[in-house]
Amino acid sequence: MPSLPKCPKCNSEFTYEDGAMYVCPECAHEWSKDAVAESADEKRIVHGRRHSVAAR
């Protein structure tokens, strides 16, 4: 069984698929499966104050 991504909003591990979307039952956030593929390709850098910056 492939693992599902964590919620990008609250970082919950308890997500599920609903058609072409992922859903988080803890915070009710919904996001597309395409967004997960795009974010996996994008690298992020987090500096000391926990601000996320896109890497090139």
Side-chain angles (χ1 to χ4, degrees), residues 16-23 30-37:
Y16 62 91
E17 293 178 90
D18 185 19
M21 304 289 283
Y22 289 118
V23 180
E30 298 181 0
W31 67 102
S32 72
K33 291 181 181 179
D34 294 335
V36 172

Side-chain angles (χ1 to χ4, degrees), residues 4-45:
L4 297 174
K6 291 183 178 182
C7 176
K9 187 173 181 182
C10 73
N11 207 34
S12 171
E13 296 180 357
F14 304 110
T15 58
Y16 62 91
E17 293 178 90
D18 185 19
M21 304 289 283
Y22 289 118
V23 180
C24 176
E26 292 190 11
C27 71
H29 181 66
E30 298 181 0
W31 67 102
S32 72
K33 291 181 181 179
D34 294 335
V36 172
E38 290 173 10
S39 66
D41 293 338
E42 184 179 304
K43 295 181 181 177
R44 310 291 293 172
I45 297 173

